[in-house]
Amino acid sequence: MTVKVDAIAKRFLPKDPFFRLLVVNSMAGVGISGLVVGGIFYSNIGNLTVLIRGDDNPLVPVLMLVAGLVITLVSVVVGSAIMLLGADQTKGGPGSKLPAMFEPRLEPIPVKAETARAHRREVR
């Protein structure tokens, strides 16, 4: 028995594309946060794992670390996804690794010019 991804997406994700974008990227941020927390505990950065294991109530520092990382990394992932919404990725030149939104473009700006006589009258 196989479950199709489309059926799961239709059932659990919002129908609005923007909210779907938020949910998908939030889950990606939570996953990245889990990997970072696991990496911190596995590598024992700053002797943190030993300190938490020796604490009377290790749940509080772990929750504080997880909450901070989840808030930070979910914000980064969702923010970068929102910032890239209007970017057209197909316009990059040959060998260009930057999205098209970083290519410089010149746009004329209309400026209302005053005559020299009108300026002289205002100065006097």
Side-chain angles (χ1 to χ4, degrees):
M1 179 175 176
T2 60
V3 178
K4 294 191 176 191
V5 176
D6 292 335
I8 294 173
K10 285 181 183 178
R11 185 172 180 184
F12 293 110
L13 291 176
K15 293 183 194 238
D16 186 22
F18 181 70
F19 291 121
R20 182 179 293 224
L21 174 92
L22 290 178
V23 169
V24 168
N25 286 296
S26 296
M27 291 299 113
V30 169
I32 293 170
S33 301
L35 289 174
V36 170
V37 168
I40 288 172
F41 286 143
Y42 179 74
S43 61
N44 197 17
I45 294 176
N47 215 11
L48 186 65
T49 307
V50 175
L51 288 172
I52 289 177
R53 284 185 182 169
D55 194 11
D56 292 336
N57 188 8
L59 186 63
V60 174
V62 170
L63 286 179
M64 289 176 61
L65 178 67
V66 168
L69 284 171
V70 165
I71 290 170
T72 303
L73 294 176
V74 166
S75 299
V76 167
V77 172
V78 170
S80 63
I82 290 173
M83 292 296 182
L84 289 173
L85 274 178
D88 186 13
Q89 300 290 336
T90 61
K91 290 187 180 179
S96 173
K97 294 182 180 178
L98 295 175
M101 63 188 254
F102 293 114
E103 291 181 8
R105 63 176 187 252
L106 300 175
E107 294 180 7
I109 300 173
V111 177
K112 188 175 183 180
E114 295 182 13
T115 61
R117 289 182 184 170
H119 181 67
R120 282 188 212 145
R121 278 185 250 150
E122 291 176 5
V123 172
R124 291 183 189 174

